[in-house]
Structure formats: C-alpha cells, structure tokens
Amino acid sequence: MSRGVGIWLMLAGLLKLADLGSFSEALQNYQYLPTWSIQSLTTFVPSLELVVGFRLFFADTTASRLWATLLFGSFSLLLARAWSLHLPLTCGCFGSATVWLHRQPLGLELHFLLVLAVTIGLVRKLQSPARHGDRPTQKPQIF
C-alpha cells in the first residue's frame, strides 16, 4: 500500500508544481484558508507531497506514513467541509485531470471516498508493527 500511496503523492505533487496557478485557484475555492497562506501553501504542499511520496516509495517508515496520513487526513477534512457547504470546486489534486474526473457522474464523491479509504488504511498501517526500515523501539540493555 505504501508504494502505491507514494506514487500517488509524487504524481500529485508533480502535476501541482506543473500548474501552480490551478492549484492556487483550487485552494482559494475551498473558502476556508486565510488568503495570506494560499501563496505559501501553493508551493509547500506539492513539495511536501513529493518528499513524502519519495520516502514512502523508497523507504517506508513510520515517519513517512505519519506525514502521508496528515496530508490525506487534512485534505479529507477540508474536502468534507467544502462538500457539506455545497461549494462548486475541484479538489486540485491532479491539475487539469482533476477537472475531468470531477465532471464524471459521482466523480468528486468517488474521489472523496478513495481518499478517505487511503486515510483509514494509513492510520491502520501506523498502528501495525514496524516494518521496512523502521527501527524497533527497545530499551537499551545495561548488562
């Protein structure tokens, strides 16, 4: 699962960086974030997605899973809020491909359910024992 989420995040980050104007507009359409934060988030979020995606794909650690969970969880809450307010928006996840996806019947709803499922999967994986490069936490032995 982590490698798939890593690819998803790297692709999303690259597509956002390729069209920062569209992503900035998508952030504004949520009508929740302070206007002073939009410009910083427009470059920070895709950059963070690239780094976290890279880490998930090449070195699946608890830290990378936690960052991915924070990204997906905060996005899920933001999208749920916008959806509950019936705001006309696209999520901005994959640049112009997002517009096409959300024009499909139930496109936004299916996208939201997929993001929610990934978020739940990441939370469950955070609760599982350490794997793939995580160092188990052990008390140092004195003797």
Side-chain angles (χ1 to χ4, degrees), residues 135-141:
R135 294 187 179 103
T137 54
Q138 297 178 355
K139 291 184 179 180
Q141 295 183 356

Side-chain angles (χ1 to χ4, degrees), residues 28-48:
Q28 291 171 19
N29 289 339
Y30 282 102
Q31 299 177 12
Y32 182 71
L33 302 168
T35 53
W36 58 265
S37 70
I38 299 292
Q39 185 176 5
S40 298
L41 288 172
T42 298
T43 54
F44 177 73
V45 170
S47 301
L48 182 61

Side-chain angles (χ1 to χ4, degrees), residues 40-99:
S40 298
L41 288 172
T42 298
T43 54
F44 177 73
V45 170
S47 301
L48 182 61
E49 287 175 334
L50 279 173
V51 170
V52 172
F54 185 84
R55 291 285 304 171
L56 279 173
F57 190 82
F58 292 105
D60 181 21
T61 63
T62 300
S64 58
R65 282 183 249 139
L66 179 61
W67 277 104
T69 303
L70 290 172
L71 281 168
F72 277 91
S74 58
F75 173 68
S76 296
L77 292 173
L78 193 60
L79 188 58
R81 179 194 171 276
W83 195 13
S84 71
L85 295 174
H86 305 287
L87 296 177
L89 58 85
T90 61
C91 68
C93 295
F94 297 106
S96 59
T98 306
V99 175

